[in-house]
Amino acid sequence: MASIPGMTFGGSPGVVRGRLPEAGVRPDESFGSAMWPMLEGHTSATPASRHVAHDVHGEELITRVWEAVELPGSAMDYHFVLQNAVERLWSTRRAHPAALELLEVFALLDLELMEAAPEAVSFEDMEAGRFVRVTSVPRLIGLLEREGAFVEALTVARRLVRFGQGEDAVARLSEKTGALAAETTTAGGAQ
């Protein structure tokens, strides 16, 4: 993923790309479309899209996600890896409270990916400027808002608007940040 133009992502922490079993795998194009070799033959699924099993959780999930974004794949593969990780971390937040920190990291990385490669959240047959519904970034916006980090949530929501989503959050958070600023000004002048 770090090789996608426009990404500032420098690589996954603690992952040595060259040591990942499928890091050097290349697709076979002789089938008319990209087919990836695997023990049982070939598949159209990239190494990145296959790397995170549906039954992994906690630390193993986090490790697998960091590894997946180092493996060969498309921008869309990386988006779905990150988005699914955000949802899974959210669903296990009570059992694994530290997951919320990684949820934020993965959601922001997903947003950066979307900005660098909008094709990650659109399909070829969609008209230009139409994007699939994203869940990772709204999840982060909601989390930040619940924590009272209205300015940060508003900043993220404004970035999401480019993808035809987040307008309602921008309106709501603009109102909240405006009210908070007015309250702060009033409180500061009352002293």
Side-chain angles (χ1 to χ4, degrees):
M1 185 170 77
S3 65
I4 294 174
M7 292 290 297
T8 60
F9 175 68
S12 298
V15 176
V16 178
R17 186 175 199 277
R19 290 189 183 156
L20 296 173
E22 293 188 288
V25 173
R26 298 293 171 250
D28 182 347
E29 303 283 344
S30 66
F31 294 96
S33 63
M35 296 298 286
W36 297 84
M38 52 189 287
L39 291 176
E40 302 83 31
H42 287 84
T43 180
S44 60
T46 66
S49 68
R50 295 190 319 261
H51 195 70
V52 184
H54 296 288
D55 60 348
V56 298
H57 302 284
E59 290 301 320
E60 185 179 358
L61 171 65
I62 292 164
T63 298
R64 289 297 204 140
V65 170
W66 283 128
E67 291 172 351
V69 298
E70 294 293 333
L71 292 171
S74 69
M76 188 176 285
D77 293 328
Y78 302 132
H79 161 68
F80 283 114
V81 164
L82 293 166
Q83 179 167 269
N84 289 335
V86 165
E87 292 308 313
R88 287 161 75 181
L89 289 169
W90 177 255
S91 70
T92 61
R93 68 192 178 281
R94 284 181 178 77
H96 189 64
L100 292 178
E101 183 179 333
L102 268 296
L103 182 152
E104 182 174 354
V105 169
F106 290 155
L108 288 173
L109 191 55
D110 195 21
L111 181 56
E112 180 185 348
L113 172 67
M114 292 164 49
E115 290 169 333
E119 68 273 12
V121 290
S122 63
F123 294 104
E124 290 177 20
D125 57 349
M126 294 180 76
E127 60 187 69
R130 288 200 49 211
F131 302 95
V132 298
R133 188 92 181 122
V134 174
T135 61
S136 58
V137 181
R139 179 71 69 202
L140 174 60
I141 293 167
L143 176 63
L144 292 170
E145 185 175 5
R146 277 188 287 285
E147 291 177 349
F150 301 134
V151 173
E152 293 87 349
L154 178 58
T155 300
V156 173
R158 284 183 174 147
R159 290 171 63 190
L160 186 60
V161 168
R162 170 182 172 194
F163 302 96
Q165 300 163 56
E167 294 88 350
D168 56 335
V170 169
R172 183 180 66 252
L173 290 162
S174 292
E175 189 175 307
K176 285 183 177 184
T177 56
L180 187 60
E183 185 179 302
T184 303
T185 301
T186 303
Q191 294 178 2

mmCIF file of all heavy atoms in Angstrom, residues 109-127:
data_model
loop_
_atom_site.group_PDB
_atom_site.id
_atom_site.type_symbol
_atom_site.label_atom_id
_atom_site.label_comp_id
_atom_site.label_asym_id
_atom_site.label_seq_id
_atom_site.Cartn_x
_atom_site.Cartn_y
_atom_site.Cartn_z
ATOM 1 N N LEU A 109 -6.045 5.856 8.115
ATOM 2 C CA LEU A 109 -5.271 5.282 7.015
ATOM 3 C C LEU A 109 -6.195 4.979 5.832
ATOM 4 O O LEU A 109 -5.841 5.222 4.670
ATOM 5 C CB LEU A 109 -4.549 4.027 7.493
ATOM 6 C CG LEU A 109 -3.494 3.432 6.576
ATOM 7 C CD1 LEU A 109 -2.440 4.446 6.192
ATOM 8 C CD2 LEU A 109 -2.847 2.237 7.259
ATOM 9 N N ASP A 110 -7.388 4.482 6.113
ATOM 10 C CA ASP A 110 -8.367 4.220 5.067
ATOM 11 C C ASP A 110 -8.764 5.521 4.369
ATOM 12 O O ASP A 110 -8.859 5.582 3.139
ATOM 13 C CB ASP A 110 -9.592 3.522 5.652
ATOM 14 C CG ASP A 110 -10.492 2.903 4.598
ATOM 15 O OD1 ASP A 110 -10.028 2.648 3.460
ATOM 16 O OD2 ASP A 110 -11.671 2.645 4.918
ATOM 17 N N LEU A 111 -8.971 6.581 5.128
ATOM 18 C CA LEU A 111 -9.322 7.871 4.532
ATOM 19 C C LEU A 111 -8.183 8.397 3.665
ATOM 20 O O LEU A 111 -8.411 8.889 2.558
ATOM 21 C CB LEU A 111 -9.680 8.880 5.630
ATOM 22 C CG LEU A 111 -10.101 10.275 5.166
ATOM 23 C CD1 LEU A 111 -11.275 10.218 4.189
ATOM 24 C CD2 LEU A 111 -10.437 11.141 6.379
ATOM 25 N N GLU A 112 -6.953 8.271 4.138
ATOM 26 C CA GLU A 112 -5.803 8.685 3.330
ATOM 27 C C GLU A 112 -5.741 7.883 2.031
ATOM 28 O O GLU A 112 -5.481 8.436 0.955
ATOM 29 C CB GLU A 112 -4.499 8.507 4.114
ATOM 30 C CG GLU A 112 -3.276 8.925 3.304
ATOM 31 C CD GLU A 112 -1.955 8.658 4.004
ATOM 32 O OE1 GLU A 112 -1.931 8.353 5.211
ATOM 33 O OE2 GLU A 112 -0.917 8.748 3.302
ATOM 34 N N LEU A 113 -5.998 6.591 2.124
ATOM 35 C CA LEU A 113 -6.023 5.732 0.944
ATOM 36 C C LEU A 113 -7.097 6.197 -0.039
ATOM 37 O O LEU A 113 -6.858 6.301 -1.241
ATOM 38 C CB LEU A 113 -6.266 4.284 1.359
ATOM 39 C CG LEU A 113 -6.516 3.277 0.240
ATOM 40 C CD1 LEU A 113 -5.262 3.097 -0.612
ATOM 41 C CD2 LEU A 113 -6.957 1.936 0.833
ATOM 42 N N MET A 114 -8.284 6.490 0.471
ATOM 43 C CA MET A 114 -9.382 6.961 -0.382
ATOM 44 C C MET A 114 -9.008 8.259 -1.092
ATOM 45 O O MET A 114 -9.313 8.438 -2.273
ATOM 46 C CB MET A 114 -10.643 7.171 0.463
ATOM 47 C CG MET A 114 -11.237 5.890 1.001
ATOM 48 S SD MET A 114 -12.427 6.129 2.361
ATOM 49 C CE MET A 114 -13.501 7.402 1.711
ATOM 50 N N GLU A 115 -8.349 9.150 -0.380
ATOM 51 C CA GLU A 115 -7.952 10.430 -0.970
ATOM 52 C C GLU A 115 -6.876 10.237 -2.031
ATOM 53 O O GLU A 115 -6.888 10.895 -3.066
ATOM 54 C CB GLU A 115 -7.465 11.389 0.125
ATOM 55 C CG GLU A 115 -8.588 11.857 1.027
ATOM 56 C CD GLU A 115 -8.117 12.588 2.265
ATOM 57 O OE1 GLU A 115 -6.981 12.339 2.751
ATOM 58 O OE2 GLU A 115 -8.903 13.401 2.778
ATOM 59 N N ALA A 116 -5.945 9.325 -1.786
ATOM 60 C CA ALA A 116 -4.859 9.073 -2.736
ATOM 61 C C ALA A 116 -5.334 8.256 -3.934
ATOM 62 O O ALA A 116 -4.849 8.440 -5.047
ATOM 63 C CB ALA A 116 -3.709 8.347 -2.039
ATOM 64 N N ALA A 117 -6.268 7.338 -3.696
ATOM 65 C CA ALA A 117 -6.742 6.422 -4.746
ATOM 66 C C ALA A 117 -8.264 6.288 -4.656
ATOM 67 O O ALA A 117 -8.767 5.305 -4.105
ATOM 68 C CB ALA A 117 -6.062 5.067 -4.605
ATOM 69 N N PRO A 118 -9.007 7.275 -5.164
ATOM 70 C CA PRO A 118 -10.474 7.222 -5.077
ATOM 71 C C PRO A 118 -11.086 5.959 -5.671
ATOM 72 O O PRO A 118 -12.186 5.561 -5.286
ATOM 73 C CB PRO A 118 -10.928 8.467 -5.840
ATOM 74 C CG PRO A 118 -9.751 9.385 -5.822
ATOM 75 C CD PRO A 118 -8.544 8.493 -5.808
ATOM 76 N N GLU A 119 -10.353 5.293 -6.571
ATOM 77 C CA GLU A 119 -10.869 4.044 -7.142
ATOM 78 C C GLU A 119 -11.010 2.949 -6.081
ATOM 79 O O GLU A 119 -11.679 1.938 -6.307
ATOM 80 C CB GLU A 119 -9.980 3.555 -8.292
ATOM 81 C CG GLU A 119 -8.602 3.098 -7.896
ATOM 82 C CD GLU A 119 -7.544 4.198 -7.825
ATOM 83 O OE1 GLU A 119 -7.888 5.396 -7.867
ATOM 84 O OE2 GLU A 119 -6.355 3.848 -7.722
ATOM 85 N N ALA A 120 -10.425 3.163 -4.914
ATOM 86 C CA ALA A 120 -10.557 2.198 -3.825
ATOM 87 C C ALA A 120 -12.003 2.097 -3.341
ATOM 88 O O ALA A 120 -12.400 1.067 -2.794
ATOM 89 C CB ALA A 120 -9.658 2.580 -2.647
ATOM 90 N N VAL A 121 -12.781 3.144 -3.561
ATOM 91 C CA VAL A 121 -14.163 3.163 -3.082
ATOM 92 C C VAL A 121 -15.163 3.442 -4.201
ATOM 93 O O VAL A 121 -16.234 3.989 -3.986
ATOM 94 C CB VAL A 121 -14.346 4.163 -1.918
ATOM 95 C CG1 VAL A 121 -13.645 3.652 -0.669
ATOM 96 C CG2 VAL A 121 -13.856 5.544 -2.297
ATOM 97 N N SER A 122 -14.778 3.079 -5.407
ATOM 98 C CA SER A 122 -15.714 3.183 -6.534
ATOM 99 C C SER A 122 -15.481 1.978 -7.442
ATOM 100 O O SER A 122 -14.420 1.372 -7.431
ATOM 101 C CB SER A 122 -15.520 4.493 -7.296
ATOM 102 O OG SER A 122 -14.237 4.554 -7.871
ATOM 103 N N PHE A 123 -16.497 1.650 -8.198
ATOM 104 C CA PHE A 123 -16.399 0.528 -9.117
ATOM 105 C C PHE A 123 -16.366 1.040 -10.544
ATOM 106 O O PHE A 123 -16.887 2.115 -10.843
ATOM 107 C CB PHE A 123 -17.585 -0.438 -8.933
ATOM 108 C CG PHE A 123 -17.587 -1.113 -7.598
ATOM 109 C CD1 PHE A 123 -18.462 -0.711 -6.605
ATOM 110 C CD2 PHE A 123 -16.711 -2.146 -7.321
ATOM 111 C CE1 PHE A 123 -18.459 -1.332 -5.361
ATOM 112 C CE2 PHE A 123 -16.701 -2.768 -6.086
ATOM 113 C CZ PHE A 123 -17.574 -2.361 -5.110
ATOM 114 N N GLU A 124 -15.752 0.270 -11.436
ATOM 115 C CA GLU A 124 -15.615 0.682 -12.830
ATOM 116 C C GLU A 124 -16.949 1.040 -13.465
ATOM 117 O O GLU A 124 -17.035 1.957 -14.265
ATOM 118 C CB GLU A 124 -14.954 -0.429 -13.649
ATOM 119 C CG GLU A 124 -13.495 -0.632 -13.324
ATOM 120 C CD GLU A 124 -12.893 -1.785 -14.094
ATOM 121 O OE1 GLU A 124 -13.450 -2.182 -15.121
ATOM 122 O OE2 GLU A 124 -11.851 -2.294 -13.656
ATOM 123 N N ASP A 125 -18.009 0.311 -13.126
ATOM 124 C CA ASP A 125 -19.292 0.549 -13.772
ATOM 125 C C ASP A 125 -20.097 1.685 -13.132
ATOM 126 O O ASP A 125 -21.191 1.991 -13.562
ATOM 127 C CB ASP A 125 -20.137 -0.733 -13.813
ATOM 128 C CG ASP A 125 -20.379 -1.327 -12.434
ATOM 129 O OD1 ASP A 125 -19.748 -0.886 -11.461
ATOM 130 O OD2 ASP A 125 -21.208 -2.234 -12.355
ATOM 131 N N MET A 126 -19.531 2.320 -12.095
ATOM 132 C CA MET A 126 -20.212 3.457 -11.489
ATOM 133 C C MET A 126 -19.862 4.715 -12.271
ATOM 134 O O MET A 126 -18.771 4.844 -12.801
ATOM 135 C CB MET A 126 -19.790 3.634 -10.029
ATOM 136 C CG MET A 126 -20.230 2.506 -9.128
ATOM 137 S SD MET A 126 -19.711 2.749 -7.429
ATOM 138 C CE MET A 126 -20.883 3.995 -6.915
ATOM 139 N N GLU A 127 -20.800 5.641 -12.328
ATOM 140 C CA GLU A 127 -20.502 6.889 -13.017
ATOM 141 C C GLU A 127 -19.459 7.667 -12.220
ATOM 142 O O GLU A 127 -19.324 7.492 -11.011
ATOM 143 C CB GLU A 127 -21.772 7.710 -13.228
ATOM 144 C CG GLU A 127 -22.481 8.096 -11.952
ATOM 145 C CD GLU A 127 -23.815 8.763 -12.193
ATOM 146 O OE1 GLU A 127 -24.740 8.068 -12.656
ATOM 147 O OE2 GLU A 127 -23.918 9.963 -11.917
#
